Amino acid sequence: MGVFSFLRATYDLDTLDTRFTNPSSTSYKTVIEARDDAAATKERAAKGNSKSQPSRWGTPEFYLYYLVLVLVIPYMFWVAYDASRPTDPKYMQYERLLKPGWIPGRKIDASDSQYNTFRKNIPYMAALLLLHPLLRRAYNAIVYPVKATSQGSRPTPEEADQRLNQRASFDFGFALVYLVALHGVSAAKIMLILYANYQVATALPRKYVPVASWVFNIGILFANELCRGYKFGEIAALIAAPPVQNNLIDSGSTLVSWGKWLDSYGGLMGRWEILFNITVLRLISFNLDYYWSLDRRSYSPVEKQVDPTALSERDRVSIPAQARDFSFRNYVAYAVYAPLYLTGPVITFNDFVSQQRYRSASIEWTRTLRYAVRFALCLLAMEVILHYDYVQAISKARPEWGAYTSAQLSVLSYFNLHLIWLKLLLPWRLFRLWALVDGVDPPENMVRCVSDNPSTLAFWRSWHRSFYRWSLRYIYVPLGGSSFRTKRDAARSILTYVLVFTFVALWHDIQLRLLIWGWLVVLFMLPEMAAGFVFPKSRWEGRPTAYRMLCCVGAVANIFMMMTANLVGFAVGVDGLERIIAGIFRDFSGFCFIVSASMALFVGVQIMFEIRESEARRGIHLKC
């Protein structure tokens, strides 16, 4: 395979996640078996071509778009670079946020503490990515060997149970060590929360489990934030009596001193509560999967007459684990599964147990290698941008936005969102890569580049996709989903969206700006929903080009609204956005630039539409 062929395969959707190229109801084992079937491949391609538009990549219209992109994209990078040069008068305002970089003659933007921490720990995480699977192999060979008894390649149910016990026992032990290493004495606090949640699921009467699970876990989110991780010194200060004057031995101060001494042993990540939100999702998943399993104890792959070694992803999620699988050991192994503990992606308990029992057919070393190369290229892109475009440092230095031109304000805002996307993508992909190397295939979190999202609704299907799928299963569907057939259904559906995004906002962080962000997202979804009813695709079947142009105009408006919401929630806040907008529209040149930017976005959206048509011609329909 040549270099270009390898890169093309690296950036194929199938490398990112096999869930994107195959229906969730189809086992990937059957996909592997059909690879050498030329007739099946042609049939799938013909089926995709019958429902999609002819390719436009080689048309005069798209050659014009290529010309625009060749001019606009380098110009955008130049604008950001020009605003970041040391010769710029405003450079001194944010120079303190830069550090020496590895590219000669350039400093690196180190203003984002989240990415800076991740960057410093990459060597240690890479070492752990290799060490953890090796330790598992040694454990499997020495401590918990499993002998194969079946003659064929398909394991027996007994062998599958042994594999589950083998993996779960290792994951449970490693989880305890991992917690202590990361959080020190605070590991006891985490285990106490996990035990309490386990009791909520297994000890309460069944009818109380859903409500109690939500109340407990949302309460934990608020308590963790308000109590700042329950520091022992602060707890001791509350328990201890006020100091007594002229008392030679003050038991209260001694207790507080002991508490502070314990707090000093906080491990590598003393503030454990910051990243505990992702664990809360797994706790809710365990409780509700257990709750739903109580009505379906006899429901199994055998009952569905499917091969348990070749379950589709839908079956792995929907078929409940066996009653004995909901043990405390398996629960801790799942909740604190090392590769996914800190940042995810999120995988349901049913899916996790199924993959512990039977290795997923989608895990192939060639695909994992390409996925690793793709991660490395994303990391390189992030590093290069941070060395040449200091957009985050500029925004964090609280600049006078009026000192920048309209073009600079727009491009700085746009690049800021891209860097937020990259700083989230990198840890998600690194930890997913770790899970793949370890033999677990969790969902991919980022489907599209942040610049490849013309739809507000579709954007939330592709951004943090595992959380989106989790929200569907545990919030959106139980609340009734959405329907706009009547005014009453429409009102209920809007309320459902508000509740979902309120939880999403509070889950990210308990801050007003994130609540505003969540409500803005719902508000900005409404115009797209309304446009879908006013301009249904069925009425434009005879005029596909006109419909495409109409959708493109709406998509440009969508992009501006999505940028607005995300700048408020994750970058500059409401006040910062107001100053940026005022700076852009302070004179006529700002209006001219917005018109030019809208035309450039129009071209970009046309490319986005054609990318999706190209996927449809291959039989791929991502709905995002």
Side-chain angles (χ1 to χ4, degrees):
M1 179 183 288
V3 174
F4 290 106
S5 297
F6 180 79
L7 287 176
R8 185 174 182 179
T10 297
Y11 279 90
D12 190 78
L13 279 172
D14 191 66
T15 295
L16 201 57
D17 195 337
T18 58
R19 296 169 178 86
F20 301 154
T21 55
N22 302 281
S24 62
S25 58
T26 301
S27 166
Y28 197 74
K29 192 173 182 179
T30 62
V31 175
I32 294 175
E33 293 169 352
R35 279 177 180 168
D36 298 328
D37 189 344
T41 303
K42 290 181 179 179
E43 181 182 352
R44 179 178 177 181
K47 186 178 180 181
N49 285 327
S50 65
K51 297 181 180 180
S52 58
Q53 296 293 324
S55 174
R56 299 186 183 89
W57 294 120
T59 61
E61 175 191 352
F62 270 69
Y63 281 119
L64 175 62
Y65 296 157
Y66 302 152
L67 177 61
V68 173
L69 293 178
V70 166
L71 297 174
V72 169
I73 294 176
Y75 171 74
M76 293 173 63
F77 278 93
W78 168 255
V79 168
Y81 172 74
D82 186 52
S84 306
R85 288 194 296 181
T87 55
D88 188 281
K90 300 177 287 295
Y91 179 80
M92 298 297 294
Q93 298 176 7
Y94 59 85
E95 186 181 14
R96 69 184 188 279
L97 300 176
L98 309 179
K99 292 183 178 180
W102 55 267
I103 296 180
R106 299 296 304 179
K107 292 184 177 181
I108 186 171
D109 185 341
S111 60
D112 190 285
S113 59
Q114 200 174 27
Y115 177 73
N116 204 31
T117 301
F118 170 78
R119 184 174 182 266
K120 290 179 180 178
N121 289 289
I122 285 178
Y124 307 107
M125 290 184 288
L128 194 56
L129 183 151
L130 297 174
L131 179 63
H132 173 261
L134 291 176
L135 286 175
R136 183 188 294 280
R137 285 177 176 270
Y139 178 86
N140 293 350
I142 301 171
V143 181
Y144 203 127
V146 173
K147 294 183 179 179
T149 57
S150 60
Q151 299 297 323
S153 58
R154 176 177 170 176
T156 64
E158 292 75 17
E159 289 176 342
D161 288 340
Q162 287 182 357
R163 185 178 190 271
L164 168 64
N165 290 329
Q166 181 190 61
R167 289 184 62 88
S169 60
F170 174 82
D171 289 331
F172 177 79
F174 194 89
L176 298 180
V177 176
Y178 194 54
L179 283 179
V180 173
L182 284 177
H183 309 307
V185 293
S186 292
K189 306 171 192 174
I190 295 172
M191 290 302 298
L192 182 61
I193 293 173
L194 264 59
Y195 178 76
N197 181 75
Y198 185 77
Q199 292 301 311
V200 168
T202 59
L204 289 179
R206 180 183 181 277
K207 62 180 180 180
Y208 298 124
V209 169
V211 173
S213 297
W214 281 106
V215 170
F216 175 80
N217 283 285
I218 292 177
I220 286 294
L221 288 177
F222 278 91
N224 287 352
E225 176 74 16
L226 298 175
C227 299
R228 300 186 299 174
Y230 322 104
K231 294 187 180 300
F232 288 110
E234 295 177 358
I235 295 174
L238 291 174
I239 297 174
V244 179
Q245 293 183 351
N246 301 324
N247 191 352
L248 296 177
I249 302 177
D250 190 348
S251 59
S253 62
T254 303
L255 185 63
V256 172
S257 298
W258 271 96
K260 292 181 178 180
W261 177 78
L262 285 174
D263 289 330
S264 66
Y265 292 91
L268 299 174
M269 293 180 58
R271 297 186 63 192
W272 61 273
E273 71 277 7
I274 294 177
L275 295 177
F276 192 74
N277 290 11
I278 198 77
T279 304
V280 165
L281 302 183
R282 289 189 285 268
L283 302 190
I284 294 174
S285 174
F286 174 86
N287 285 19
L288 294 186
D289 280 3
Y290 175 75
Y291 167 76
W292 288 325
S293 75
L294 295 176
D295 282 341
R296 308 166 73 185
R297 284 301 194 195
S298 61
Y299 194 69
S300 67
V302 176
E303 182 181 318
K304 285 196 70 176
Q305 297 182 344
V306 295
D307 181 0
T309 66
L311 293 178
S312 67
E313 198 226 357
R314 180 181 298 174
D315 286 336
R316 291 203 311 262
V317 171
S318 62
I319 295 178
Q322 299 176 23
R324 65 177 180 273
D325 294 338
F326 292 93
S327 66
F328 187 73
R329 182 203 64 182
N330 292 353
Y331 163 70
V332 173
Y334 162 69
V336 196
Y337 177 57
L340 307 180
Y341 169 68
L342 291 176
T343 64
V346 184
I347 186 172
T348 68
F349 180 78
N350 288 342
D351 193 0
F352 179 79
V353 167
S354 177
Q355 293 196 51
Q356 295 287 72
R357 209 174 238 111
Y358 302 100
R359 181 183 174 91
S360 174
S362 60
I363 299 178
E364 300 173 292
W365 74 266
T366 52
R367 179 182 293 104
T368 302
L369 176 62
R370 293 196 301 270
Y371 189 85
V373 171
R374 188 161 177 168
F375 163 78
L377 292 174
C378 289
L379 179 61
L380 177 63
M382 180 69 161
E383 288 289 302
V384 171
I385 293 173
L386 290 178
H387 276 81
Y388 286 95
D389 297 334
Y390 303 140
V391 297
Q392 290 186 322
I394 291 173
S395 66
K396 290 182 183 296
R398 298 184 178 275
E400 179 55 49
W401 292 110
Y404 290 92
T405 66
S406 300
Q408 288 175 332
L409 287 172
S410 301
V411 171
L412 290 175
S413 300
Y414 192 66
F415 275 38
N416 209 340
L417 293 177
H418 279 72
L419 290 174
I420 292 171
W421 174 75
L422 273 171
K423 82 166 185 178
L424 294 174
L425 175 143
L426 288 169
W428 282 338
R429 287 199 176 165
L430 177 62
F431 288 116
R432 181 170 184 260
L433 174 63
W434 180 3
L436 290 172
V437 172
D438 189 48
V440 174
D441 184 7
E444 169 63 30
N445 266 340
M446 293 293 198
V447 184
R448 307 281 189 189
C449 173
V450 71
S451 287
D452 187 14
N453 287 281
S455 163
T456 309
L457 289 169
F459 176 74
W460 297 112
R461 297 189 187 109
S462 64
W463 178 285
H464 205 169
R465 187 174 176 85
S466 68
F467 187 25
Y468 162 77
R469 289 155 59 90
W470 183 95
S471 302
L472 282 183
R473 176 169 171 79
Y474 299 110
I475 307 178
Y476 181 76
V477 172
L479 287 176
S482 64
S483 173
F484 292 87
R485 294 179 180 178
T486 65
K487 292 182 179 179
R488 184 176 180 180
D489 287 341
R492 181 188 57 78
S493 299
I494 293 172
L495 178 61
T496 297
Y497 281 117
V498 170
L499 290 175
V500 169
F501 278 94
T502 297
F503 173 78
V504 170
L506 292 175
W507 176 83
H508 276 91
D509 204 352
I510 302 173
Q511 294 185 19
L512 179 61
R513 65 181 177 86
L514 284 172
L515 275 176
I516 295 173
W517 162 78
W519 297 333
L520 280 175
V521 169
V522 177
L523 178 64
F524 292 158
M525 283 181 175
L526 299 181
E528 184 176 345
M529 295 177 184
F533 284 101
V534 176
F535 303 103
K537 188 176 182 179
S538 58
R539 294 183 185 177
W540 297 76
E541 289 182 351
R543 296 174 290 170
T545 301
Y547 185 70
R548 176 163 56 90
M549 297 299 174
L550 181 66
C551 290
C552 197
V553 172
V556 171
N558 268 342
I559 291 172
F560 279 120
M561 288 188 289
M562 285 190 287
M563 288 178 63
T564 299
N566 286 302
L567 283 171
V568 169
F570 298 102
V572 297
V574 177
D575 294 337
L577 180 66
E578 288 178 353
R579 291 194 295 270
I580 290 174
I581 293 175
I584 293 174
F585 292 105
R586 66 177 177 270
D587 53 35
F588 183 71
S589 64
F591 288 92
C592 294
F593 177 81
I594 288 298
V595 172
S596 302
S598 299
M599 295 172 65
L601 287 174
F602 183 90
V603 170
V605 170
Q606 293 287 359
I607 301 296
M608 297 178 207
F609 286 170
E610 189 57 23
I611 289 173
R612 286 153 179 80
E613 286 294 332
S614 298
E615 293 170 353
R617 287 190 284 271
R618 295 169 54 197
I620 299 172
H621 303 277
L622 287 180
K623 298 182 180 180
C624 66

